Amino acid sequence: MSTVLTDEKFGFDIQANDMLQLFSQQSGWDNKYRQIIVLAKQLNGLPDLFKTDEHLIDGCESATWLVTREIQGHWHFYADSEARIVKGLLALVLAAFNGKSSQQIQDFDIHHYFATLGLTKQLSPSRSNGLVAVVEAIKTLTC
Amino acid sequence: MFDASQIRALFPALQQQVNQRKLVYLDNAATTQKPESVIHAMAEYYRYDNANVHRASHALSARATRQFEASREVIQRLVNAKFPQEIIWTQGTTGAINLVANSYGSLLEAGDEVIISAMEHHANIVPWQLLAERSGIKLQIAPINGHGQIDMSAFSALLNENTRLVSVCHVSNALGTLNPIAEIIALSHQAGAKVLIDGAQGIAHCDVDVQQLDCDFYAFSGHKMYGPTGIGVLYGKQALLDAMPPWQGGGEMIKHVSFNGTSFNRLPFKFEAGTPNISAVIGLAQAAEFLQQTRASREHEAQLVAQLLEGLHAMEQVSIIGPTKGQIGSVSFTVTGEHHSDIATLLDEQGIAVRAGHHCAQPLMAQLGLKGTIRASIAAYNNSADIDNFLIALKHTLALLS
């Protein structure tokens, strides 16, 4: 069993702009979700060791965990979820925030990003998928 | 002759599209939609009759009071209670159970026992846990079998001379199990215990005759029987309610207040402190009238459940959780290898409203070894096309996830 955190490619090799381009090619709700499921497969996720209450994000219908590290002024995020759609959405969030400075994270308009992706309602406070809580946790951490 | 399309036309909320698809509403166990008659009656009350009840000596108050008390008689007839004052207005089923746990519960002592079942909604667990903490009563849990049914021999074995109350659901909100409440009531009475039936999921789908059942309490919510939110009913036998102390204090529930002491109003007002939810009470009477008219829908609902089960059984990845047949209102299932929230998200994209999660029955889920299920729940206004559309959308969802 792996006990080390490995950096995700999302936010390092793959940026928000890459995601925007990828999703602009997906027409229809089902193609967008197919893409989200592909992203879920590409996200390493967390070793079980880190799936603890300490890292659990409240307000999710599916258990979702977030681990954060600040390394030389840049944030490294590691996240996972029981649910594949949430895991895919986490990859989208990490593409925007991972490897960035606090200032870059604060300056990034995540709602505009999700709206452009065509996934506005996935980042709505009335949804129980917990994505809002993940974004809030990251924004609070870096403010 | 029951006509589901005629019934459906009475519900404005069902005539809409969601995500560019025709809405298929299968979350009725959470809350049902409301017919125009309920919405209209509530709006009319606010437009023309709005006044506080039982108090002022003016025309509006008299009209409001008349409607308010007429509603009580409508509900009395719905459940066939002996007297209108046996119908206590509460906030909902949760409020009704909390009333019993606090009022009847205050008469219990350390060493007394209350039995609930392993399939209860949190609303029929937590009030008893709080009571146990306050007064040292012992909370006993009647176990369930692998099909989500109460193990009746284990239940019988729990009954003893210390059992004061048995509180179980009529129908499981998470699994759709119909409990043998007549048998539970008879056995409990033999042991000298009172019985509270949580009828939240029973009232919209089953004929309830509290005199025939001989239950001591029956609790239900307005919003799960085509009525408004924020109103519920506690039925209690008059002699028992008379013997119980008030729970909440305030206006309406008193006869005389002085700083030397207070005497309390008669039933049902003793248990109705504060200005009640008048518009909801008036709306609830309309919902009850609607419910009486749809008694012929029982067979229609059973057919929808059978259609749902047949379609789900045909899908290899799907496991039905709970009874294999005869569910009332709700059918619960899981999909091998898939998280329930992913299924619900993708169904929503196709205009299908279902519930995914633990259904406020975490101890039940723990016992079944599940984190949650997907629950499709029907009402009288659903039709065969709704079930077909749901099954097609579910197949599409599974294909998309694979």
Side-chain angles (χ1 to χ4, degrees):
Chain A
M1 194 178 82
S2 171
T3 56
V4 288
L5 292 168
T6 45
D7 275 326
E8 301 283 357
K9 60 182 175 182
F10 300 100
F12 292 103
D13 304 329
I14 302 175
Q15 302 296 332
N17 278 336
D18 301 319
M19 291 299 194
L20 289 169
Q21 202 186 347
L22 185 64
F23 273 75
S24 69
Q25 292 156 12
Q26 311 301 332
S27 62
W29 70 273
D30 33 6
N31 287 327
K32 282 198 198 297
Y33 279 97
R34 270 193 199 98
Q35 192 58 61
I36 289 168
I37 289 158
V38 169
L39 294 177
K41 285 186 186 138
Q42 293 172 352
L43 193 76
N44 299 326
L46 287 169
D48 286 347
L49 184 71
F50 291 91
K51 293 179 183 173
T52 58
D53 286 352
E54 184 198 349
H55 299 127
L56 200 62
I57 296 288
D58 285 338
C60 313
E61 177 54 55
S62 51
T64 299
W65 303 268
L66 176 70
V67 178
T68 62
R69 298 274 186 274
E70 193 180 11
I71 303 166
Q72 294 171 337
H74 291 270
W75 287 96
H76 294 237
F77 299 114
Y78 313 87
D80 208 340
S81 174
E82 290 176 335
R84 286 202 274 165
I85 291 171
V86 178
K87 198 170 171 183
L89 294 170
L90 288 171
L92 290 169
V93 172
L94 261 55
F97 290 152
N98 213 5
K100 309 295 186 287
S101 67
S102 292
Q103 192 58 49
Q104 284 174 305
I105 290 170
Q106 289 302 316
D107 290 345
F108 189 83
D109 186 346
I110 190 86
H111 290 279
H112 183 256
Y113 172 55
F114 267 76
T116 316
L117 289 167
L119 297 168
T120 298
K121 66 182 170 196
Q122 293 303 333
L123 199 61
S124 144
S126 63
R127 287 272 149 171
S128 56
N129 64 17
L131 209 63
V132 171
V134 170
V135 167
E136 270 174 15
I138 291 176
K139 288 269 185 185
T140 307
L141 190 72
T142 56
C143 73
Chain B
M1 180 62 193
F2 178 76
D3 183 347
S5 65
Q6 225 170 17
I7 294 283
R8 200 182 181 93
L10 303 173
F11 289 78
L14 296 173
Q15 325 297 324
Q16 65 179 302
Q17 293 209 328
V18 167
N19 294 325
Q20 293 87 48
R21 309 284 187 106
K22 211 169 118 183
L23 168 66
V24 174
Y25 189 78
L26 295 173
D27 193 17
N28 294 288
T31 198
T32 56
Q33 298 303 335
K34 323 304 173 198
E36 187 58 49
S37 59
V38 169
I39 300 165
H40 180 74
M42 294 173 78
E44 289 291 290
Y45 161 72
Y46 278 126
R47 276 201 188 99
Y48 303 112
D49 304 325
N50 177 58
N52 211 331
V53 289
H54 303 132
R55 234 152 274 163
S57 51
H58 58 76
L60 263 57
S61 176
R63 281 209 300 266
T65 303
R66 198 159 53 236
Q67 281 190 75
F68 185 81
E69 288 308 323
S71 294
R72 205 186 296 274
E73 287 168 20
V74 171
I75 299 302
Q76 179 199 353
R77 287 196 294 278
L78 179 74
V79 299
N80 192 32
K82 211 168 187 173
F83 308 109
Q85 63 269 26
E86 292 179 321
I87 303 300
I88 312 290
W89 303 125
T90 65
Q91 291 168 327
T93 309
T94 301
I97 297 173
N98 274 282
L99 195 166
V100 177
N102 282 276
S103 172
Y104 180 77
S106 72
L107 304 172
L108 305 186
E109 297 167 354
D112 286 343
E113 297 181 14
V114 171
I115 302 175
I116 61 172
S117 86
M119 73 172 79
E120 298 309 315
H121 186 285
H122 296 161
N124 195 24
I125 301 174
V126 183
W128 309 113
Q129 289 177 329
L130 292 171
L131 175 62
E133 275 173 32
R134 276 198 308 273
S135 62
I137 62 132
K138 193 169 167 191
L139 186 57
Q140 300 273 28
I141 315 297
I144 55 167
N145 65 24
H147 289 300
Q149 292 153 328
I150 294 177
D151 177 339
M152 286 301 288
S153 58
F155 167 73
S156 300
L158 284 177
L159 286 165
N160 66 64
E161 70 278 8
N162 296 321
T163 312
R164 293 287 166 268
L165 183 75
V166 173
S167 186
V168 293
C169 56
H170 190 169
V171 171
S172 156
N173 74 303
L175 306 177
T177 314
L178 175 65
N179 283 325
I181 55 170
E183 192 185 343
I184 289 170
I185 292 163
L187 287 168
S188 304
H189 283 171
Q190 275 168 31
K194 304 296 183 200
V195 183
L196 163 60
I197 302 295
D198 167 359
Q201 301 295 338
I203 193 73
H205 305 288
C206 306
D207 295 331
V208 175
D209 182 331
V210 291
Q211 292 189 69
Q212 196 189 350
L213 281 171
D214 196 29
C215 55
D216 301 284
F217 302 104
Y218 192 96
F220 59 96
S221 298
H223 73 98
K224 292 185 202 288
M225 51 165 279
Y226 312 102
T229 53
I231 189 69
V233 171
L234 175 69
Y235 157 80
K237 284 180 182 167
Q238 177 164 255
L240 192 52
L241 292 174
D242 271 333
M244 284 159 49
W247 170 33
Q248 291 173 323
E252 193 72 35
M253 53 79 70
I254 47 89
K255 192 155 76 186
H256 178 75
V257 178
S258 78
F259 288 119
N260 297 322
T262 294
S263 55
F264 301 112
N265 206 336
R266 61 189 165 84
L267 283 178
F269 311 114
K270 181 172 88 172
F271 291 112
E272 294 176 357
T275 295
N277 193 343
I278 304 166
S279 67
V281 165
I282 288 165
L284 183 63
Q286 291 299 319
E289 301 283 8
F290 170 79
L291 197 55
Q292 306 264 34
Q293 289 161 25
T294 58
R295 276 182 193 273
S297 72
R298 304 275 188 262
E299 198 184 323
H300 167 73
E301 291 185 17
Q303 279 169 3
L304 295 179
V305 167
Q307 186 189 350
L308 200 48
L309 287 171
E310 195 188 336
L312 290 171
H313 271 306
M315 290 184 216
E316 215 170 283
Q317 276 179 279
V318 172
S319 306
I320 310 276
I321 308 298
T324 49
K325 59 176 185 177
Q327 283 90 332
I328 302 296
S330 300
V331 173
S332 225
F333 63 96
T334 55
V335 178
T336 309
E338 302 300 346
H339 195 276
H340 48 79
S341 83
D342 286 338
I343 306 280
T345 301
L346 295 174
L347 287 173
D348 174 55
E349 288 291 341
Q350 299 166 81
I352 314 278
V354 295
R355 190 79 149 193
H358 53 61
H359 315 297
C360 295
Q362 287 179 351
L364 170 65
M365 292 296 138
Q367 187 163 343
L368 296 170
L370 299 171
K371 284 177 176 162
T373 71
I374 303 134
R375 179 188 69 187
S377 54
I378 53 137
Y381 45 65
N382 287 117
N383 56 30
S384 174
D386 286 337
I387 308 297
D388 282 339
N389 287 334
F390 162 73
L391 292 168
I392 291 165
L394 181 59
K395 276 180 201 148
H396 188 56
T397 297
L398 301 188
L400 210 151
L401 284 165
S402 69

